[in-house]
Amino acid sequence: MLQAQIFIGKDQFFREQPLYEYIMQFLLKQKIRGATVFVGRLGYDESKHLNRPFDLFSFDETPILITFIDEEENVKSALTALRKEVKSGFIITNHVDKWN
């Protein structure tokens, strides 16, 4: 099995809807077994600036992590199709074992 993780910002949009919602709907249409969106409390990127989106009067971008898992060929197929649509975001994959 393969797990994919997509790192984006909460305020990113694609075709007039939040990018994380678009990606989740896309994964559902691709019949991926399961996916979850996590909202980050603290994060940073290449700028090394700490983003604290939940601090009072903060205008920092909220980090979002979308993670999903399925058979390797399904994950790779979904990522290939997604990259044809969406160019933003950082994606990593990990091989995982399924425990019953």
Side-chain angles (χ1 to χ4, degrees):
M1 297 195 78
L2 193 64
Q3 176 192 38
Q5 296 178 316
I6 304 172
F7 298 83
I8 60 172
K10 182 178 173 229
D11 296 331
Q12 289 180 272
F13 281 79
F14 186 78
R15 296 185 183 158
E16 300 180 8
Q17 82 180 111
L19 180 57
Y20 64 91
E21 286 185 14
Y22 175 81
I23 292 173
M24 291 297 282
Q25 289 174 357
F26 181 90
L27 295 173
L28 190 60
K29 289 176 187 172
Q30 295 287 315
K31 299 183 180 168
I32 293 297
R33 284 190 185 178
T36 303
V37 174
F38 296 94
V39 178
R41 300 271 318 159
L42 183 66
Y44 72 90
D45 56 17
E46 296 158 340
S47 69
K48 304 296 188 257
H49 168 76
L50 285 177
N51 294 324
R52 293 183 171 95
F54 295 98
D55 283 357
L56 191 60
F57 304 114
S58 174
F59 296 100
D60 290 336
E61 184 175 289
T62 303
I64 296 280
L65 169 65
I66 301 168
T67 185
F68 63 97
I69 190 168
D70 205 327
E71 298 299 327
E72 184 171 351
E73 58 272 6
N74 296 342
V75 171
K76 287 183 176 183
S77 175
L79 289 175
T80 299
L82 180 63
R83 271 302 189 221
K84 290 178 182 174
E85 297 283 321
V86 178
K87 304 296 183 199
S88 62
F90 179 72
I91 300 173
I92 62 171
T93 59
N94 300 294
H95 289 278
V96 295
D97 294 322
K98 180 180 175 184
W99 288 71
N100 291 324

